[in-house]
Short mmCIF file of all heavy atoms in Angstrom, two decimals:
data_model
loop_
_atom_site.label_atom_id
_atom_site.label_comp_id
_atom_site.label_asym_id
_atom_site.label_seq_id
_atom_site.Cartn_x
_atom_site.Cartn_y
_atom_site.Cartn_z
N LEU A 36 -12.12 -5.31 1.46
CA LEU A 36 -11.62 -6.68 1.40
C LEU A 36 -11.68 -7.28 2.80
O LEU A 36 -11.86 -6.57 3.78
CB LEU A 36 -10.17 -6.71 0.90
CG LEU A 36 -9.94 -6.19 -0.51
CD1 LEU A 36 -8.45 -6.14 -0.81
CD2 LEU A 36 -10.67 -7.03 -1.54
N GLY A 37 -11.48 -8.57 2.88
CA GLY A 37 -11.46 -9.23 4.17
C GLY A 37 -10.12 -9.06 4.86
O GLY A 37 -9.08 -8.92 4.21
N VAL A 38 -10.14 -9.07 6.18
CA VAL A 38 -8.92 -8.96 6.96
C VAL A 38 -7.96 -10.10 6.62
O VAL A 38 -6.74 -9.89 6.53
CB VAL A 38 -9.23 -8.94 8.48
CG1 VAL A 38 -7.96 -8.96 9.30
CG2 VAL A 38 -10.07 -7.73 8.83
N ASN A 39 -8.48 -11.30 6.41
CA ASN A 39 -7.62 -12.42 6.06
C ASN A 39 -6.90 -12.19 4.74
O ASN A 39 -5.76 -12.62 4.56
CB ASN A 39 -8.41 -13.73 6.01
CG ASN A 39 -8.79 -14.21 7.39
OD1 ASN A 39 -8.16 -13.85 8.38
ND2 ASN A 39 -9.82 -15.02 7.48
N THR A 40 -7.54 -11.52 3.80
CA THR A 40 -6.90 -11.20 2.52
C THR A 40 -5.72 -10.26 2.75
O THR A 40 -4.64 -10.44 2.19
CB THR A 40 -7.91 -10.56 1.55
OG1 THR A 40 -8.97 -11.49 1.33
CG2 THR A 40 -7.27 -10.20 0.22
N ILE A 41 -5.92 -9.25 3.59
CA ILE A 41 -4.85 -8.30 3.90
C ILE A 41 -3.69 -9.02 4.59
O ILE A 41 -2.53 -8.88 4.20
CB ILE A 41 -5.37 -7.16 4.81
CG1 ILE A 41 -6.55 -6.41 4.16
CG2 ILE A 41 -4.23 -6.21 5.21
CD1 ILE A 41 -6.26 -5.76 2.84
N ARG A 42 -4.00 -9.81 5.59
CA ARG A 42 -2.94 -10.51 6.34
C ARG A 42 -2.18 -11.50 5.46
O ARG A 42 -0.97 -11.62 5.57
CB ARG A 42 -3.55 -11.21 7.55
CG ARG A 42 -4.01 -10.18 8.57
CD ARG A 42 -4.26 -10.78 9.92
NE ARG A 42 -4.55 -9.71 10.86
CZ ARG A 42 -5.59 -9.70 11.66
NH1 ARG A 42 -6.43 -10.70 11.68
NH2 ARG A 42 -5.78 -8.69 12.49
N ARG A 43 -2.89 -12.18 4.58
CA ARG A 43 -2.24 -13.14 3.67
C ARG A 43 -1.27 -12.40 2.75
O ARG A 43 -0.16 -12.87 2.49
CB ARG A 43 -3.29 -13.90 2.87
CG ARG A 43 -2.74 -15.06 2.07
CD ARG A 43 -3.83 -15.93 1.44
NE ARG A 43 -4.80 -15.16 0.67
CZ ARG A 43 -6.09 -14.97 1.01
NH1 ARG A 43 -6.57 -15.49 2.13
NH2 ARG A 43 -6.89 -14.27 0.26
N ALA A 44 -1.67 -11.24 2.27
CA ALA A 44 -0.80 -10.45 1.39
C ALA A 44 0.44 -9.95 2.14
O ALA A 44 1.52 -9.88 1.57
CB ALA A 44 -1.57 -9.26 0.82
N GLU A 45 0.27 -9.63 3.41
CA GLU A 45 1.38 -9.05 4.18
C GLU A 45 2.40 -10.07 4.67
O GLU A 45 3.52 -9.69 4.98
CB GLU A 45 0.83 -8.28 5.37
CG GLU A 45 0.13 -7.01 4.96
CD GLU A 45 -0.31 -6.17 6.12
OE1 GLU A 45 -0.37 -6.68 7.27
OE2 GLU A 45 -0.60 -4.99 5.89
N VAL A 46 2.06 -11.33 4.73
CA VAL A 46 3.01 -12.33 5.21
C VAL A 46 3.78 -13.01 4.08
O VAL A 46 4.70 -13.77 4.34
CB VAL A 46 2.35 -13.41 6.11
CG1 VAL A 46 1.73 -12.78 7.34
CG2 VAL A 46 1.35 -14.23 5.34
N ALA A 47 3.43 -12.74 2.87
CA ALA A 47 4.09 -13.37 1.72
C ALA A 47 5.58 -12.99 1.70
O ALA A 47 5.92 -11.83 1.91
CB ALA A 47 3.42 -12.94 0.42
N GLN A 48 6.43 -13.95 1.47
CA GLN A 48 7.88 -13.70 1.41
C GLN A 48 8.32 -13.22 0.04
O GLN A 48 9.15 -12.35 -0.07
CB GLN A 48 8.64 -14.97 1.77
CG GLN A 48 8.48 -15.38 3.21
CD GLN A 48 8.99 -14.32 4.17
OE1 GLN A 48 10.05 -13.75 3.96
NE2 GLN A 48 8.24 -14.05 5.22
N GLU A 49 7.77 -13.78 -0.98
CA GLU A 49 8.14 -13.41 -2.34
C GLU A 49 7.00 -12.63 -2.96
O GLU A 49 6.63 -11.59 -2.47
CB GLU A 49 8.45 -14.68 -3.16
CG GLU A 49 9.66 -15.45 -2.67
CD GLU A 49 10.97 -14.70 -2.88
OE1 GLU A 49 11.11 -14.03 -3.92
OE2 GLU A 49 11.84 -14.79 -2.01
N LYS A 50 6.41 -13.18 -3.98
CA LYS A 50 5.29 -12.53 -4.67
C LYS A 50 4.01 -12.70 -3.85
O LYS A 50 3.72 -13.79 -3.36
CB LYS A 50 5.11 -13.18 -6.04
CG LYS A 50 4.08 -12.52 -6.89
CD LYS A 50 4.02 -13.18 -8.25
CE LYS A 50 2.90 -12.56 -9.07
NZ LYS A 50 2.76 -13.18 -10.36
N ILE A 51 3.27 -11.60 -3.68
CA ILE A 51 2.02 -11.70 -2.94
C ILE A 51 0.97 -12.40 -3.80
O ILE A 51 0.99 -12.31 -5.02
CB ILE A 51 1.51 -10.32 -2.46
CG1 ILE A 51 1.31 -9.36 -3.63
CG2 ILE A 51 2.44 -9.73 -1.44
CD1 ILE A 51 0.73 -8.03 -3.24
N SER A 52 0.09 -13.12 -3.14
CA SER A 52 -0.91 -13.89 -3.88
C SER A 52 -2.26 -13.19 -3.82
O SER A 52 -3.14 -13.59 -3.07
CB SER A 52 -1.01 -15.31 -3.31
OG SER A 52 -1.39 -15.25 -1.96
N LEU A 53 -2.38 -12.12 -4.56
CA LEU A 53 -3.63 -11.37 -4.64
C LEU A 53 -4.13 -11.40 -6.07
O LEU A 53 -3.33 -11.43 -7.01
CB LEU A 53 -3.42 -9.91 -4.25
CG LEU A 53 -3.15 -9.58 -2.80
CD1 LEU A 53 -2.81 -8.10 -2.67
CD2 LEU A 53 -4.34 -9.91 -1.95
N THR A 54 -5.43 -11.34 -6.21
CA THR A 54 -5.96 -11.14 -7.56
C THR A 54 -5.65 -9.71 -7.96
O THR A 54 -5.38 -8.85 -7.11
CB THR A 54 -7.49 -11.36 -7.59
OG1 THR A 54 -8.11 -10.34 -6.79
CG2 THR A 54 -7.88 -12.74 -7.08
N VAL A 55 -5.70 -9.44 -9.24
CA VAL A 55 -5.45 -8.09 -9.74
C VAL A 55 -6.45 -7.11 -9.12
O VAL A 55 -6.09 -6.02 -8.69
CB VAL A 55 -5.52 -8.06 -11.28
CG1 VAL A 55 -5.45 -6.63 -11.80
CG2 VAL A 55 -4.42 -8.91 -11.88
N ALA A 56 -7.70 -7.53 -9.01
CA ALA A 56 -8.74 -6.65 -8.43
C ALA A 56 -8.45 -6.34 -6.97
O ALA A 56 -8.61 -5.20 -6.53
CB ALA A 56 -10.12 -7.31 -8.58
N ASN A 57 -8.01 -7.34 -6.19
CA ASN A 57 -7.72 -7.11 -4.78
C ASN A 57 -6.50 -6.23 -4.60
O ASN A 57 -6.47 -5.36 -3.73
CB ASN A 57 -7.55 -8.43 -4.04
CG ASN A 57 -8.85 -9.16 -3.83
OD1 ASN A 57 -9.93 -8.64 -4.12
ND2 ASN A 57 -8.77 -10.37 -3.33
N GLU A 58 -5.48 -6.45 -5.42
CA GLU A 58 -4.28 -5.62 -5.35
C GLU A 58 -4.64 -4.17 -5.67
O GLU A 58 -4.19 -3.23 -5.00
CB GLU A 58 -3.21 -6.12 -6.30
CG GLU A 58 -1.94 -5.29 -6.23
CD GLU A 58 -0.87 -5.75 -7.17
OE1 GLU A 58 -0.96 -6.87 -7.72
OE2 GLU A 58 0.08 -4.99 -7.37
N LEU A 59 -5.46 -3.98 -6.68
CA LEU A 59 -5.88 -2.63 -7.07
C LEU A 59 -6.70 -1.98 -5.96
O LEU A 59 -6.54 -0.79 -5.67
CB LEU A 59 -6.68 -2.69 -8.37
CG LEU A 59 -7.02 -1.36 -9.03
CD1 LEU A 59 -5.77 -0.54 -9.30
CD2 LEU A 59 -7.78 -1.60 -10.32
N ALA A 60 -7.54 -2.74 -5.29
CA ALA A 60 -8.35 -2.20 -4.19
C ALA A 60 -7.45 -1.73 -3.04
O ALA A 60 -7.68 -0.66 -2.47
CB ALA A 60 -9.34 -3.25 -3.69
#
Side-chain angles (χ1 to χ4, degrees):
L36 298 174
V38 174
N39 287 337
T40 300
I41 302 300
R42 291 196 174 129
R43 189 171 52 249
E45 290 185 343
V46 299
Q48 292 299 317
E49 295 292 323
K50 185 177 176 182
I51 58 176
S52 60
L53 289 173
T54 65
V55 172
N57 287 354
E58 181 181 346
L59 189 56

